């Protein structure tokens, strides 16, 4: 069992899926919703999981680097394209230091591609 806090932001970015439909093989934009959830087994001495202001600032910084950009810039060498799962893993790696400094123990990322569809990644930060 654990406590959790989170934040959510929007992100508009381009991607392509070489193995997808004709439209998906072309660069196209998505309006993603990025959801981050930080967990901690016990609350800290202030009674919180982590500092939400620090979490929000870190999320704004990371997403600011991607806004309006082509996600191929962060595509790992072993991937054909940036899926929601790959984007979630990249966001986790980009936020884990900030979340750890803010007091979090586990970070979960969900990347919503549509109101009813997401991909995610979850792992410890400490």
């Amino acid at each position: 069992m654990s406590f959790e806090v989170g934040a959510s932001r929007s992100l508009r970015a381009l991607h392509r899926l070489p193995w997808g439909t004709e439209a998906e093989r072309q660069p196209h934009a998505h309006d993603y919703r990025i959801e981050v959830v930080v967990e901690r087994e016990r609350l800290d001495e202030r009674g919180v999981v982590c500092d939400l202001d620090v979490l929000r600032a870190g999320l704004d910084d990371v997403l600011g680097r991607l806004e309006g950009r082509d996600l191929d810039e962060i595509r790992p060498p072993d991937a054909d394209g940036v899926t929601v799962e790959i984007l979630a893993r990249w966001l986790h790696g980009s936020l884990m230091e900030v979340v750890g400094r803010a007091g979090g123990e586990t970070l979960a990322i969900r990347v919503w591609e549509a109101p009813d569809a997401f991909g995610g990644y979850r792992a410890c930060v400490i």
Side-chain angles (χ1 to χ4, degrees):
M1 288 192 250
S2 61
F3 294 93
E4 64 182 22
V5 296
S8 177
R9 297 283 191 270
S10 61
L11 169 68
R12 183 169 180 81
L14 301 167
H15 84 142
R16 65 189 58 74
L17 298 174
W19 41 262
T21 66
E22 179 61 34
E24 291 172 328
R25 288 193 295 270
Q26 304 303 315
H28 59 281
H30 278 283
D31 291 312
Y32 298 103
R33 183 170 58 92
I34 309 301
E35 179 181 299
V36 298
V37 177
V38 178
E39 295 179 35
R40 185 178 170 132
E41 188 175 329
R42 291 182 181 83
L43 298 177
D44 71 8
E45 64 281 351
R46 300 169 297 164
V48 300
V49 171
C50 76
D51 187 323
L52 280 171
D53 290 334
V54 172
L55 178 62
R56 287 186 199 116
L59 183 57
D60 288 344
D61 178 59
V62 169
L63 294 182
R65 290 186 255 152
L66 296 179
E67 184 64 39
R69 308 289 299 258
D70 187 334
L71 294 179
D72 265 359
E73 295 177 22
I74 65 161
R75 182 173 51 86
D78 62 340
D80 292 333
V82 178
T83 61
V84 289
E85 297 90 344
I86 289 172
L87 178 53
R89 184 179 62 191
W90 184 87
L91 289 166
H92 185 280
S94 298
L95 286 168
M96 61 187 272
E97 185 179 327
V98 168
V99 168
R101 279 196 326 259
E105 296 172 345
T106 302
L107 172 61
I109 307 284
R110 284 187 174 168
V111 177
W112 293 83
E113 184 176 272
D116 61 351
F118 72 88
Y121 185 79
R122 173 193 175 98
C124 293
V125 297
I126 55 172

